[in-house]
């Protein structure tokens, strides 16, 4: 295997950006197409996240991911959390507000929805309440960024996206992976045909929860709160597969480990096959393959019972891409281009370091979850989209969210856990 220091890679690596440099940027993002933020990273790295337009955020929930998202906003001078709300206690909202310098702290989500100063609500409480909370925010005229999983069923997700469209509001699932420059780079390689036609994707995400959560008194293990590995970890590898294949899978074969007492899935695996949306085959003279575009397989697995390497590999007719661990929030990508002879590749790696933390972030306790500073990429992209009048982001569309939900529904159905009516009923309690 040859290691190549590709000129492009060197250029990108030396373009490691410092988010604390003053952004000279009135111009770059005024001109930037919100669909190509990666290009902005490459051409003007020091202002990649800093120069996004202003947006006033309301934070719905005061748990761990809400902490991390709010901390990440501190990297964006123009995106400001102006209000927060807790459903479990007003004291929790006060404590959260004090920690993050947010003056409006509400003891109910209704009050947050009525705050006229809030442009967009980050919905980061447990997902079993998605339908009622997002519906409330949309009905109050708020744009919404909704943590993954977007909802607890495809039906609920469709209902909420339709409502957002009817109200002409931005609404998106927080599939933050897609906004990492490393993933933007992957999409660029794919669209340039850098690995030929994609034929397979392998993606895993197992994180251990029994050492960090009170077992079993955590929402992760609660059937009533829609716990289970497929909803907490599953969206990432499913979305990784969908990033590479445009069609909906024609076959979904699932297996899972279900805890009979808890009634939730502790681990799962899925084999997906994707049909070809284009009937004509491509006669690729280099690979001597007759390959139908978009046809391939994905193998994904996820769980709560151990810690996996957490990588995504995308295999193409002319090479492969490795999204290094942690693949759901990656900073490193390797392209292995196929050379003559089996097993021979030429490899080039790109690093996209996370933004440095501000003192404010460090002094207020930093982050709970790995690489959460990268949530700033998502927040910045959304601010750009909203300013451009877009109702979703090109990085992760509503259509893709709906596909993820449909596949997760199917997983739960095949392992005997999907009771649509029961979940919907729970949502409304
Ligand atoms: N993108 C990412 O990297 C991550 C996303 N997530 C997603 O974010 C969501 C929340 O996860 P996380 O922050 O880790 O969860 P936490 O347990 O830290 O917080 C959950 C919040 O949900 C609300 N809640 C309401 N009822 C309950 C209940 N009975 N038990 C516990 N919480 C309750 C509370 O809201 P309140 O504060 O309003 O009272 C609480 O703060 C999940 O949907 C998860 O999938 C989680 C981790 C990382
Ligand atoms: O989305 C997530 O859910 C579970 C977490 O442990 C993980 O780090 C996170 O990104």
């Amino acid at each position: 295997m040859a290691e190549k220091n590709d000129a492009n890679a060197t250029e990108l690596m030396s373009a490691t950006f410092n988010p604390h440099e003053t952004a000279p940027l009135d111009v770059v993002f005024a001109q930037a197409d919100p669909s190509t933020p990666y290009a902005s990273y490459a051409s003007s790295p020091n202002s990649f996240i800093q120069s996004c337009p202003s947006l006033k955020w309301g934070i719905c929930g005061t748990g761990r991911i809400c902490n991390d998202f709010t901390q990440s906003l501190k990297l964006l001078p123009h995106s400001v959390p102006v209000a927060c709300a807790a459903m479990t206690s007003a004291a929790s909202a006060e404590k959260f507000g004090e920690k993050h310098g947010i003056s409006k702290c509400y003891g109910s989500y209704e009050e947050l929805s009525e705050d006229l100063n809030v442009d967009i609500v980050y919905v980061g409480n447990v997902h079993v309440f998605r339908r009622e909370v997002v519906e409330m925010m949309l009905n109050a005229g708020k744009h919404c960024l909704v943590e993954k999983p977007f909802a607890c069923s495809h039906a609920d997700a469709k209902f909420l996206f339709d409502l957002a469209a009817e109200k002409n509001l931005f609404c998106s699932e927080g599939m933050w992976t897609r906004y990492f420059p490393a993933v933007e780079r992957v999409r660029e390689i794919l669209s340039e045909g850098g690995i030929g036609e994609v034929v397979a994707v392998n993606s895993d995400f197992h994180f251990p929860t029994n050492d960090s959560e009170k077992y079993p008194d955590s929402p992760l293990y609660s059937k009533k709160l829609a716990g289970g590995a497929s909803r907490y970890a599953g969206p990432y590898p499913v979305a990784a597969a969908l990033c590479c294949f445009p069609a909906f899978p024609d076959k979904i074969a699932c297996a899972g480990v279900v805890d009979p007492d808890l009634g939730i899935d502790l681990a799962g695996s899925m084999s997906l096959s994707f049909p070809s949306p284009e009937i004509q085959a491509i006669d690729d003279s280099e690979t001597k393959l007759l390959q139908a575009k978009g046809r391939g397989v994905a193998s994904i697995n996820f769980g709560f019972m151990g810690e996996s390497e957490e990588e995504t590999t995308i295999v193409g007719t002319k090479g492969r891409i490795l999204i290094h661990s942690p693949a759901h929030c990656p900073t490193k990508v390797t392209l292995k281009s196929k050379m003559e002879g089996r097993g021979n590749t030429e490899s080039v790696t790109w690093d996209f370091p996370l933004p440095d933390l501000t003192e404010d972030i460090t002094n207020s306790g930093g982050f709970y979850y790995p690489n959460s500073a990268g949530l700033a990429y998502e927040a910045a992209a959304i601010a750009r989209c909203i300013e451009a009048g877009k109702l979703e982001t090109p990085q992760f569309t509503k259509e893709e969210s709906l596909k993820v939900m449909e596949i997760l529904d199917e997983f739960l159905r095949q392992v005997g856990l999907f009771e649509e009516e029961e979940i919907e009923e729970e949502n409304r309690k």
Side-chain angles (χ1 to χ4, degrees):
M1 179 202 297
E3 279 289 334
K4 188 172 111 182
N5 207 1
D6 178 281
N8 193 19
T10 310
E11 191 189 305
L12 285 166
M13 281 191 279
S14 63
T16 297
F17 76 119
N18 176 357
H20 306 303
E21 275 175 36
T22 317
L25 267 238
D26 26 297
V27 190
V28 173
F29 281 110
Q31 292 173 347
D33 173 352
S35 64
T36 57
Y38 164 73
S40 308
Y41 183 101
S43 64
S44 187
N46 61 338
S47 52
F48 180 63
I49 53 170
Q50 262 213 323
S51 59
C52 67
S54 68
L55 203 53
K56 286 178 273 173
W57 290 83
I59 309 297
C60 182
T62 57
R64 289 165 298 180
I65 195 60
C66 288
N67 171 81
D68 285 10
F69 185 78
T70 307
Q71 294 283 52
S72 82
L73 290 183
K74 295 173 186 169
L75 295 165
L76 308 177
H78 310 297
S79 281
V80 193
V82 294
C84 63
M87 77 183 282
T88 45
S89 78
S92 179
E94 290 293 340
K95 195 170 158 209
F96 189 91
E98 197 177 320
K99 180 175 183 187
H100 297 293
I102 303 171
S103 53
K104 289 276 185 214
C105 308
Y106 301 115
S108 76
Y109 296 161
E110 286 85 353
E111 290 168 273
L112 176 66
S113 76
E114 287 158 9
D115 187 326
L116 297 177
N117 198 29
V118 169
D119 300 319
I120 180 165
V121 173
Y122 171 77
V123 182
N125 65 331
V126 282
H127 43 266
V128 75
F129 304 112
R130 289 289 193 266
R131 176 156 165 160
E132 76 182 71
V133 175
V134 179
E135 184 178 2
M136 178 199 301
M137 296 303 167
L138 291 170
N139 279 328
K142 305 297 183 204
H143 299 301
C144 289
L145 169 61
V146 183
E147 254 315 326
K148 45 62 55 179
F150 181 76
C152 291
S153 69
H154 176 269
D156 279 357
K158 173 106 177 44
F159 170 84
L160 293 172
F161 283 138
D162 286 349
L163 181 62
E166 186 190 312
K167 304 267 175 197
N168 205 31
L169 291 165
F170 176 93
C171 187
S172 188
E173 179 173 3
M175 184 50 68
W176 62 312
T177 315
R178 292 292 179 91
Y179 305 89
F180 276 74
V183 174
E184 302 272 11
R185 177 71 185 122
V186 169
R187 290 170 79 112
E188 189 175 65
I189 295 169
L190 294 176
S191 70
E192 287 168 351
I195 57 167
E197 297 300 332
V198 177
V199 294
V201 173
N202 296 313
S203 188
D204 67 279
F205 188 17
H206 296 249
F207 58 91
T209 51
N210 53 351
D211 57 352
S212 57
E213 299 283 341
K214 272 193 265 161
Y215 180 86
D217 298 326
S218 149
L220 279 82
Y221 302 106
S222 162
K223 184 169 179 60
K224 195 164 187 285
L225 294 177
S230 58
R231 292 210 172 99
Y232 276 91
Y236 293 113
V238 174
L242 294 179
C243 188
C244 303
F245 293 109
F248 192 78
D250 57 357
K251 287 211 178 66
I252 303 174
C254 308
V257 175
V258 172
D259 184 303
D261 299 324
L262 298 172
I264 59 143
D265 56 302
L266 296 173
S269 77
M270 296 190 212
S271 294
L272 311 174
S273 62
F274 293 86
S276 172
E278 291 181 21
I279 303 300
Q280 93 273 12
I282 298 157
D283 187 358
D284 185 321
S285 54
E286 264 181 61
T287 60
K288 311 240 179 353
L289 262 183
L290 270 184
Q291 174 66 40
K293 204 179 173 67
R295 188 159 65 182
V297 290
S299 171
I300 66 185
N301 61 84
F302 48 82
F304 280 167
M305 298 188 291
E307 185 171 306
S308 67
E309 190 62 33
E310 218 224 306
E311 291 177 338
T312 295
T313 308
I314 305 167
V315 183
T317 50
K318 293 181 183 170
R320 56 189 183 269
I321 297 170
L322 171 65
I323 304 180
H324 292 252
S325 184
H328 80 293
C329 44
T331 59
K332 194 175 189 170
V333 166
T334 295
L335 167 64
K336 293 188 177 186
S337 304
K338 226 188 121 21
M339 308 301 281
E340 205 164 316
R342 192 157 143 191
N344 294 328
T345 56
E346 187 174 74
S347 138
V348 54
T349 295
W350 291 270
D351 281 296
F352 299 92
L354 287 168
D356 294 331
L357 303 190
T358 60
E359 263 184 36
D360 189 8
I361 295 174
T362 314
N363 293 342
S364 53
F367 297 103
Y368 285 105
Y369 290 113
N371 288 1
S372 280
L375 287 160
Y377 299 132
E378 173 185 70
I382 287 168
R384 289 193 288 268
C385 281
I386 288 180
E387 192 185 58
K390 293 182 185 289
L391 301 184
E392 63 181 356
T393 72
Q395 286 89 349
F396 196 64
T397 61
K398 294 171 184 174
E399 194 189 335
E400 276 188 284
S401 260
L402 287 169
K403 284 185 192 168
V404 171
M405 289 305 324
E406 205 172 335
I407 292 169
L408 293 178
D409 283 4
E410 181 57 23
F411 169 81
L412 290 169
R413 208 171 277 125
Q414 289 191 27
V415 301
L417 290 176
F418 188 76
E419 298 110 344
E420 193 163 355
E421 279 171 19
E422 190 181 309
I423 288 167
E424 284 184 2
E425 201 184 309
E426 284 293 332
N427 283 346
R428 284 167 189 71
K429 275 183 194 159

